């Protein structure tokens, strides 16, 4: 662990202390990495989501860069517009990043996201996935995994998680990746790589929410790591028509090296009381995700 | 200056091109489509150096135009009816964001049933959004109003978006001669874009963050102030346009044969031309009547209308739209705004006509005017609000 | 021509905010558990700083991890990720402001 290189100092300067995030919130962890890559040369486009609140109230904001708050369904469309406007005016060296939650991406923002991806508009879209509508009080989204309790699925969600990353791969955009707040260096490298590519880039960021998932706020990183170590979340990049599996997930191609899924679930109150059948379902969801990834590695 | 035969939609497109927009974001809908088709032609043909974002919905059309406007680009979009309603969230967002932007609305009836012909209900429904709203009568005015819209929107006293209404087919697809000025003259008159803030990474700015009720109230009140200031800005822009290009329209309201008129027809849009024709005939028959053509409905020209109508014997407001359970939106605006100047209002009648795109001709205006005038002259008062049904009355 | 886009002095109130520290107030008052660093154990590995959601712990080159108690909300992520177990969470004596 201690051999991990430090991230550049801009990480320290971008998310400002005294913001309005809950204890142990993964969002500022992710934003700090965005800051480490781009410093203040970034324009975040934020639809309605937790980040709208986390960054605090007018006239201040806890982010040392530019932020445009936009209507829920529109992060991708506004980002397309900004990117075009900057390009037309000859402004270079500023990265446009749409920063949206799973609701604003997998649900209400899907059409505008798909449109921007199909047009291959030049910006990075980060979907930070806390797997439910946390800002409005933990309602299920299409990215909520099966079996999880939310306030609108009190008996657990019946349907499987929508895998937005696969949908974006189907768009044929130049760069798609998955990342986790537990692996900031991996996320950093992916943002860096994305920034060097012209066109549409999509990065999925797994972001466990202590409040909504019902775990102790000190465990955010641990839970995020377990998601990767159990194989529930697979870290990879997709470019040149292939999946390239990332360091933290690579050993887990061998199923025997994955930790049992229950180790990830047991820390989370939202999975308390899931049935044996639901657990099997989740396990087969994990297996089929890996099979799918393996197919696209060829 | 050259004279060109242009449809209303092509007049919009040409004005947008001559305003040298940077970004066009649009989605097709009848009858707006030929505007963006023409702009796409200009851009791909190298006649206009702009980026076209071919979005997947109207909601995204305005969102993308907005993004580029925030980033400092002169931006434009256009839509109609259901497209406008689909982008309604963004219509409100853009004005409250205080970013200059121009949008053309080719007015079309709202469904169901599906209907592509003109009425003004889509345009009227935007009246509380904080956009400056103008409505043109012919291709020349559409061209001029589009150029003026950029200047008004980008005026530091205003910084509000502007929408321009034009009637489906009657204007959008009908060719009329348009005087097209020299590009250099347009460049000089319009000048470079100005806006209150630019988000381009040169400084860390945060737009639209969560805000307390108190701050929010200040922003909203300020929009009202900007709207009030826009009245003078619109007059100034119309005047300076006239000095440069030789055409003025009288500001927010155009008066036709009103100087000695006892009765007044009030309306907006392409059919104002038919109303003017009717007035010519009525005058020959001895009726003392003029047309008050409303060019801007936001800001509402209360002062102009009060001056024009306060001593009228009868005001007939003819509208292609209605607020269900109430009356015509413009009638309500006129009545309410005139109260700012006097408690005593002239006799006013609200005629709802042409809704759903029903054709209303100069004959119908003659009928409507005569009926009202004859009632009043005989000492009777007709009902304040009526539906004029073209099919039944003929 | 459009490159000349100007930012004219705005006469208006526009919803533009600026970056600032403490937008949600002194969030240290939200804390009920307090991270305490045993500097003798700190290996300056940066893990706490990298993950701290409040950006309220930083590793100083000579000293080691230093907590900004004015804003630290006391979530305990730093203690959890510290590989040297140099950070312990102790109960706050006083709760609230």
């Amino acid at each position: 662990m201690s051999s991990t290189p430090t991230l550049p100092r801009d990480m320290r300067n971008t998310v400002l202390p005294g913001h309005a995030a809950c204890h142990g919130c993964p969002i500022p962890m992710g934003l700090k990495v965005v800051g480490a890559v781009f410093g203040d040369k970034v324009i975040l486009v934020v639809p309605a989501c937790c980040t709208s609140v986390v960054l605090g109230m007018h006239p201040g904001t806890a982010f040392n860069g530019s932020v445009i708050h936009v209507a829920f369904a529109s992060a991708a469309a506004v980002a397309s517009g900004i990117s075009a406007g900057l390009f037309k005016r000859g402004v270079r060296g500023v990265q446009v990043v749409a920063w949206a939650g799973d609701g604003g991406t997998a649900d209400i923002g899907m059409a505008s996201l798909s449109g921007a991806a199909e047009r291959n508009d030049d910006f990075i879209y980060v979907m930070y996935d806390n797997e439910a509508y946390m800002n409005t009080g933990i309602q299920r989204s299409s990215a909520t995994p099966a079996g999880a309790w939310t306030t609108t699925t009190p008996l657990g969600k019946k349907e499987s998680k929508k895998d937005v990353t696969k949908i974006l791969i189907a768009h044929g955009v130049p760069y798609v990746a998955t990342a986790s707040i537990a692996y900031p260096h991996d996320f950093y490298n992916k943002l860096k790589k994305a920034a060097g590519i012209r066109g549409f880039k999509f990065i999925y960021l797994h972001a466990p929410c202590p409040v909504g998932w019902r775990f102790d706020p000190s465990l955010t990183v641990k839970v995020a790591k377990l998601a990767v170590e159990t194989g529930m979340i697979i870290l990879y990049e997709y470019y040149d028509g292939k999946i390239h599996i990332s360091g933290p997930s690579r050993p887990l191609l061998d199923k025997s090296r994955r930790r049992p899924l229950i180790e990830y679930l047991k820390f989370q109150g939202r999975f308390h009381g899931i049935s044996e059948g639901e657990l099997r379902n989740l396990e087969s969801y994990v297996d089929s995700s890996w099979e799918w990834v393996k197919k696209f590695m060829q | 200056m050259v004279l060109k035969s242009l449809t209303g939609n092509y007049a919009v497109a040409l004005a947008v091109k001559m305003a040298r927009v940077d970004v066009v974001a649009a989605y097709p809908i009848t009858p707006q489509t030929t505007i963006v088709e023409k702009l796409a032609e200009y851009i791909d043909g190298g006649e206009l150096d702009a980026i076209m974002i071919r979005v997947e919905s109207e909601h995204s059309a305005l969102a993308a135009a907005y993004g580029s406007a925030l980033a400092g680009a002169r931006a434009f979009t256009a839509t109609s009816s259901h497209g406008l309603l689909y982008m309604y969230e963004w219509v409100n967002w853009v004005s409250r964001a205080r970013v200059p932007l121009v949008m053309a609305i080719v007015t079309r009836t709202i469904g169901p049933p599906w209907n592509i012909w003109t009425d003004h209900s889509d345009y009227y429904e935007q009246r509380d959004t904080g956009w400056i709203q103008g409505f043109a009568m012919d291709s020349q005015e559409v061209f001029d109003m589009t150029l003026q819209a950029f200047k008004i929107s980008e005026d530091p006293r205003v910084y509000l978006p502007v929408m321009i209404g034009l009637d489906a087919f009657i204007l959008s697809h009908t060719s009329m001669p348009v005087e097209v000025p020299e590009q250099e003259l347009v460049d000089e008159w319009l000048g470079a874009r100005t806006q209150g803030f630019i988000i381009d990474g040169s400084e860390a700015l945060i737009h639209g963050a969560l805000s307390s009720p108190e701050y929010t109230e200040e922003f909203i009140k300020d929009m009202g102030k900007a709207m009030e200031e826009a009245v003078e800005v619109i007059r100034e822009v119309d005047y300076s346009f006239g000095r440069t290009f030789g055409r003025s329209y009288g500001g927010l309201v155009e008066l036709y044969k009103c100087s000695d008129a006892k009765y007044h027809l009030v309306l907006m849009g392409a059919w104002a031309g038919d109303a003017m024709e009717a007035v010519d005939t009525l005058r020959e028959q001895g009726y003392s009547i003029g047309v008050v053509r409303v060019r801007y409905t936001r800001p509402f020209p209360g002062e102009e209308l009060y001056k024009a109508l306060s001593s009228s014997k009868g005001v007939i407001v003819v509208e292609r739209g209605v607020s269900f359970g109430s009356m015509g939106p413009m009638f309500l605006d006129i009545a309410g705004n005139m109260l700012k100047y006097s408690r005593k209002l002239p006799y006013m009648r609200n005629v709802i006509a042409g809704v759903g795109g029903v054709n209303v001709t100069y004959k119908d205006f003659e009928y409507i005017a005569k009926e009202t005038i004859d009632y009043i002259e005989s000492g009777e008062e007709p009902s304040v609000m009526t539906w004029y049904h073209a099919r039944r009355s003929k | 021509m459009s490159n000349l886009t100007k930012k004219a002095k705005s006469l208006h109130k526009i919803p533009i905010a600026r970056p600032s520290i403490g937008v949600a107030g002194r969030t240290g008052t939200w804390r009920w558990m307090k991270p305490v660093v045993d500097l003798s154990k700190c290996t300056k590995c940066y893990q706490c700083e990298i993950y701290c959601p409040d950006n309220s712990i930083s590793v100083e080159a000579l000293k080691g991890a230093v907590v900004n108690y004015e804003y630290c909300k006391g979530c305990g992520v730093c203690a959890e990720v510290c590989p040297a177990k140099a950070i312990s969470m102790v109960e706050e004596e006083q709760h609230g402001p």
Side-chain angles (χ1 to χ4, degrees):
Chain A
M1 261 305 181
S2 51
S3 64
T4 317
T6 56
L7 288 166
R9 296 183 70 82
D10 271 336
M11 185 179 205
R12 195 178 270 188
N13 303 329
T14 307
V15 175
L16 304 173
H19 54 63
C22 306
H23 290 74
C25 178
I27 293 166
M29 295 182 191
L31 285 176
K32 280 164 69 179
V33 180
V34 172
V37 179
F38 303 110
D40 60 359
K41 291 290 166 203
V42 64
I43 300 174
L44 287 186
V45 184
V46 180
C49 61
C50 283
T51 306
S52 331
V53 176
V54 165
L55 295 181
M57 276 172 79
H58 183 90
T61 280
F63 189 77
N64 200 8
S66 293
V67 184
I68 303 170
H69 294 274
V70 304
F72 210 167
S74 307
V78 175
S80 293
I82 296 165
S83 167
L86 295 178
F87 183 81
K88 182 63 180 34
R89 288 185 54 230
V91 177
R92 302 289 183 268
V94 177
Q95 182 63 52
V96 179
V97 176
W99 177 268
D102 48 304
T105 304
D107 294 343
I108 196 170
M110 184 49 89
S112 73
L113 168 64
S114 175
E118 182 269 335
R119 295 189 300 272
N120 200 23
D121 288 340
D122 186 24
F123 64 93
I124 299 172
Y125 191 108
V126 178
M127 165 190 177
Y128 70 90
D129 184 16
N130 52 27
E131 302 191 331
Y133 291 85
M134 296 311 180
N135 195 20
T136 45
I138 324 170
Q139 294 83 24
R140 67 88 93 175
S141 78
S142 59
T144 304
W149 163 91
T150 68
T151 54
T152 50
T153 53
L155 301 178
K157 192 190 174 203
K158 299 277 179 288
E159 305 79 13
S160 283
K161 183 180 178 70
K162 183 193 279 184
D163 189 339
V164 178
T165 316
K166 280 184 191 167
I167 299 173
L168 266 293
I169 288 173
H171 280 74
V173 296
Y175 186 77
V176 177
T178 59
S180 161
I181 58 100
Y183 299 91
H185 296 86
D186 177 70
F187 181 37
Y188 177 92
N189 291 334
K190 286 167 177 169
L191 281 169
K192 270 268 190 213
K193 186 180 269 180
I197 298 168
R198 238 192 109 63
F200 189 89
K201 288 83 60 175
F202 178 85
I203 300 178
Y204 168 93
L205 180 67
H206 192 235
C209 166
V211 177
W213 298 12
R214 300 295 193 236
F215 62 80
D216 188 88
S218 64
L219 301 179
T220 307
V221 177
K222 184 174 189 163
V223 169
K225 270 202 177 124
L226 281 167
V228 172
E229 289 167 0
T230 55
M232 182 78 178
I233 296 294
I234 310 169
L235 302 185
Y236 61 83
E237 294 169 287
Y238 179 90
Y239 54 88
D240 296 341
K242 258 199 243 182
I243 282 180
H244 307 259
I245 199 133
S246 306
S249 290
R250 194 171 300 127
L252 311 180
L253 282 165
D254 173 359
K255 190 180 172 180
S256 67
R257 313 244 336 236
R258 290 175 217 154
R259 300 172 79 144
L261 190 58
I262 195 71
E263 288 189 25
Y264 168 60
L265 307 181
K266 73 180 178 194
F267 286 103
Q268 306 173 46
R270 64 173 176 162
F271 287 114
H272 278 179
I274 64 163
S275 66
E276 201 55 29
E278 282 171 321
L279 179 61
R280 296 285 158 267
N281 276 347
L282 278 173
E283 282 168 349
S284 61
Y285 172 85
V286 172
D287 289 344
S288 68
S289 297
W290 279 95
E291 288 314 307
W292 185 85
V293 162
K294 282 178 188 166
K295 261 185 237 160
F296 278 85
M297 288 176 68
Q298 318 293 314
Chain B
M1 200 271 289
V2 289
L3 201 61
K4 282 192 178 175
S5 175
L6 294 174
T7 64
N9 278 357
Y10 286 168
V12 171
L14 183 59
V16 168
K17 169 178 171 262
M18 294 187 82
R20 295 188 192 275
V21 297
D22 299 298
V23 177
V24 176
Y27 185 80
I29 182 170
T30 304
Q32 166 277 132
T33 322
T34 54
I35 298 177
V36 292
E37 282 174 0
K38 188 49 102 180
L39 284 167
E41 226 176 279
Y42 287 144
I43 292 168
D44 283 8
E47 286 181 74
L48 171 61
D49 179 18
I51 295 173
M52 182 141 191
I53 310 178
R54 292 149 175 107
V55 288
E56 79 298 331
S57 75
E58 287 90 354
H59 197 268
S60 289
L62 193 50
Y66 169 79
S68 56
L70 282 189
R74 194 169 270 165
F76 173 81
T77 188
T79 190
S80 289
S81 189
H82 288 264
L84 180 59
L85 302 188
Y86 193 54
M87 65 164 65
Y88 189 61
E89 179 184 26
W90 268 98
V91 174
N92 287 273
W93 195 283
V94 169
S95 55
R96 284 163 193 252
R98 304 301 299 274
V99 67
L101 194 143
V102 174
M103 168 158 72
I105 307 298
V106 186
T107 56
R108 166 184 154 180
T109 303
I110 298 165
W114 283 122
N115 177 318
I116 54 169
W117 294 276
T118 186
D119 78 19
H120 298 165
S121 37
D122 53 355
Y123 173 93
Y124 276 140
E125 287 197 5
Q126 313 306 311
R127 67 190 183 277
D128 302 332
T129 57
W131 283 59
I132 290 173
Q133 291 184 275
F135 210 109
M137 181 174 76
D138 55 30
S139 291
Q140 182 71 63
E141 191 184 19
V142 161
F143 178 86
D144 296 345
M145 199 179 250
T146 305
L147 279 181
Q148 292 178 14
F150 287 101
K151 191 136 178 118
I152 295 162
S153 185
E154 294 169 11
D155 189 294
R157 289 165 289 178
V158 179
Y159 291 149
L160 286 171
V162 179
M163 63 173 77
I164 302 143
L166 62 152
D167 285 282
F169 301 111
I170 302 172
L171 181 46
S172 69
H173 288 63
T174 307
S175 289
M176 278 176 261
V178 175
E179 286 183 16
V180 180
E182 300 298 324
Q183 180 69 56
E184 293 71 40
L185 208 55
V186 174
D187 290 345
E188 201 183 310
W189 178 77
L190 188 52
R193 175 180 170 87
T194 54
Q195 59 192 90
F197 59 94
I198 301 173
I199 296 182
D200 61 3
S202 57
E203 62 177 316
L205 292 179
I206 295 89
H207 185 275
L210 183 68
S211 182
S212 69
E214 289 73 19
Y215 275 117
T216 309
E217 185 184 44
E218 278 187 22
F219 300 141
I220 294 171
K221 265 178 75 181
D222 195 83
M223 286 173 69
K225 187 172 143 247
M227 252 319 164
E228 279 168 28
E229 301 232 16
V231 172
E232 197 46 46
V233 173
I234 292 168
R235 289 178 190 144
E236 275 176 34
V237 167
D238 182 53
Y239 179 76
S240 82
F241 191 88
R243 305 247 323 179
T244 309
F245 301 105
R247 279 181 308 280
S248 277
Y249 295 86
L252 290 83
V253 165
E254 188 193 13
L255 303 177
Y256 181 77
K257 297 197 174 170
C258 282
S259 56
D260 62 340
K262 289 189 185 133
Y263 292 92
H264 297 84
L265 272 169
V266 185
L267 70 180
M268 68 177 188
W271 65 356
D274 301 273
M276 289 171 185
E277 224 174 292
V279 160
D280 290 346
T281 315
L282 287 163
R283 287 227 163 215
E284 281 167 20
Q285 296 170 13
Y287 289 93
S288 173
I289 186 164
V291 172
V292 176
R293 184 170 71 84
V294 177
R295 298 184 66 235
Y296 283 86
T297 55
R298 286 293 179 276
F300 198 76
E303 192 183 337
E304 279 88 341
L305 289 168
Y306 176 73
K307 279 184 188 156
L309 303 175
S310 57
S311 54
S312 177
K313 278 187 79 179
V315 177
I316 312 157
V317 183
V318 192
E319 296 188 72
R320 274 193 192 273
V322 67
S323 178
F324 297 110
S326 182
M327 303 175 78
M330 190 155 73
F331 182 88
L332 298 170
D333 266 336
I334 295 172
N337 277 274
M338 279 178 55
L339 283 172
K340 287 199 285 196
Y341 303 94
S342 167
R343 285 181 167 223
K344 216 168 149 275
L345 299 185
Y347 170 74
M348 289 170 64
R349 187 183 197 201
N350 190 194
V351 180
I352 311 297
V355 170
V358 169
N359 196 24
V360 178
T361 68
Y362 68 97
K363 287 264 183 219
D364 298 307
F365 285 115
E366 266 181 56
Y367 177 86
I368 291 167
K370 270 187 192 168
E371 187 198 49
T372 311
I373 295 170
D374 291 347
Y375 264 127
I376 294 172
E377 294 286 337
S378 67
E380 279 182 70
E381 284 203 356
S383 59
V384 173
M385 183 193 157
T386 66
W387 283 77
Y388 175 78
H389 198 298
R391 232 155 54 93
R392 211 180 306 144
S393 63
K394 270 186 285 196
Chain C
M1 149 151 224
S2 54
N3 285 337
L4 301 174
T5 303
K6 285 195 300 274
K7 196 175 74 175
K9 190 177 156 37
S10 177
L11 313 159
H12 293 286
K13 292 190 162 67
I14 290 177
I16 290 280
R18 309 255 171 192
S20 48
I21 290 174
V23 282
R26 301 199 167 185
T27 50
T29 59
W30 299 13
R31 198 170 56 235
W32 66 88
M33 296 293 279
K34 176 180 181 172
V36 177
V37 184
D38 180 349
L39 289 171
S40 69
K41 288 190 190 163
C42 174
T43 62
K44 306 182 188 89
C45 72
Y46 283 90
Q47 291 298 298
C48 56
E49 176 171 345
I50 285 171
Y51 288 111
C52 172
D54 295 320
N55 200 8
S56 292
I57 187 163
S58 49
V59 178
E60 292 181 11
L62 298 173
K63 210 171 163 192
V66 177
V67 180
N68 177 352
Y69 289 112
E70 205 169 332
Y71 296 110
C72 163
K73 293 171 190 158
C75 65
V77 164
C78 54
E80 185 62 36
V81 299
C82 178
K85 306 251 175 283
I87 303 173
S88 44
M89 298 302 290
V90 300
E91 201 161 331
E92 281 284 350
E93 281 166 24
Q94 257 192 318
H95 294 272

